[in-house]
Amino acid sequence: MHIAELFFSIQGEGQLVGVPSAFVRTSGCNLRCWFCDTPYSSWDPEGQELSVEDILTQLQAWPTNHIVITGGEPMLMPELPELTQRLKRAGKHITIETAGTVLQPVQADLMSISPKLSNSTPWQRDAKQAMVHEQRRHNPSVIRRLVELFDYQCKFVIDQPADVGEVELWLQSFPEIDRRRVFLMPQAVEREELLAKSMWLAEHCKRTQLRLGSRMHIELYGHQRGT
């Protein structure tokens, strides 16, 4: 597997926020969000090739039962089903972070789906990449299958107040999704911007009963790799 980094930290997002977790960050993504906070696993993928055995051995060094497989887009990795099967046999709790565009026969305790809104398309950065991204970013059949198969949460990156309207339209297309499992997360990699956006986003969540998504890792560590 092409791995950008392995590290031990605190889960900063979603319903398991605050849980000490070991992270497996795969390198490589089929999307190109302009605001990607891990460009070393998407726009400019880097890392090293590790076998499933190598990954399992390194994960044993950390005192946690919670494993988060993220990216990039981990669902692109052919070895992912084997890795998740081995982790389940070892009694681990597995969260998979995915944009919900690719399906694989994996095992997971929590499927953390981050659907990409139109606010993610990099029109100003790279027109060619933007067109490919726009074609790939929404795959309803995959999202429906993930929601059917797994315990799940949905996390939306919100950059501007107008984005919340798009979330509501998106949710109308998926009546099977429980609104109590939907998190709205401010797009920010600096603490000050994170707080400012969280303030107006909190007011929207109070009106709509959606959940305000924390980004605790940025609050604690700032925008750093391995956190």
Side-chain angles (χ1 to χ4, degrees):
M1 296 180 70
H2 199 51
I3 302 297
E5 56 187 350
L6 301 169
F7 60 97
F8 179 52
S9 188
I10 297 293
Q11 173 59 278
E13 299 175 353
Q15 65 187 44
L16 295 176
V17 65
V19 175
S21 304
F23 290 77
V24 178
R25 186 180 302 285
T26 64
S27 190
C29 189
N30 59 336
L31 302 180
R32 292 294 183 271
C33 301
W34 70 263
F35 50 64
C36 180
D37 56 3
T38 58
Y40 53 89
S41 65
S42 60
W43 283 89
D44 300 298
E46 58 185 64
Q48 58 181 323
E49 295 297 325
L50 295 178
S51 68
V52 169
E53 198 66 45
D54 291 334
I55 296 168
L56 294 171
T57 298
Q58 293 194 43
L59 292 177
Q60 291 175 3
W62 293 310
T64 181
N65 199 46
H66 284 261
I67 310 298
V68 181
I69 306 174
T70 184
E73 175 51 76
M75 287 289 205
L76 295 175
M77 300 292 114
E79 305 89 348
L80 186 62
E82 179 188 353
L83 176 61
T84 61
Q85 291 163 11
R86 296 281 299 276
L87 288 170
K88 276 315 283 185
R89 288 203 295 269
K92 301 297 185 181
H93 180 285
I94 305 168
T95 299
I96 296 178
E97 299 278 354
T98 178
T101 63
V102 182
L103 190 64
Q104 282 222 61
V106 298
Q107 296 193 35
D109 298 282
L110 177 63
M111 190 62 64
S112 183
I113 310 166
S114 296
K116 298 303 181 271
L117 302 175
S118 61
N119 67 3
S120 65
T121 306
W123 294 112
Q124 300 301 318
R125 178 169 176 176
D126 187 320
K128 182 178 180 180
Q129 292 280 12
M131 293 183 66
V132 174
H133 175 97
E134 189 66 16
Q135 293 167 356
R136 293 176 175 173
R137 68 175 176 83
H138 184 48
N139 192 331
S141 62
V142 169
I143 291 172
R144 289 195 168 91
R145 190 63 175 149
L146 293 175
V147 169
E148 178 184 354
L149 290 174
F150 300 99
D151 187 18
Y152 69 92
Q153 62 185 12
C154 292
K155 303 185 302 181
F156 291 90
V157 174
I158 305 298
D159 187 50
Q160 303 289 337
D163 296 338
V164 297
E166 188 173 347
V167 172
E168 292 294 344
L169 289 174
W170 191 96
L171 288 172
Q172 289 177 24
S173 300
F174 295 92
E176 65 269 40
I177 289 181
D178 186 345
R179 292 176 66 92
R180 295 170 296 181
R181 298 171 180 243
V182 176
F183 294 81
L184 304 184
M185 302 191 310
Q187 189 288 116
V189 293
E190 303 294 338
R191 294 186 181 96
E192 294 77 11
E193 184 182 14
L194 182 68
L195 177 59
K197 290 183 178 179
S198 294
M199 293 296 290
W200 57 257
L201 196 49
E203 294 305 311
H204 176 81
C205 290
K206 286 160 62 176
R207 293 192 301 271
T208 62
Q209 301 302 302
L210 299 177
R211 298 176 68 172
L212 177 63
S214 172
R215 304 195 74 196
M216 183 182 285
H217 53 299
I218 292 177
E219 297 169 5
L220 291 175
Y221 308 115
H223 187 212
Q224 299 183 55
R225 289 184 66 160
T227 59

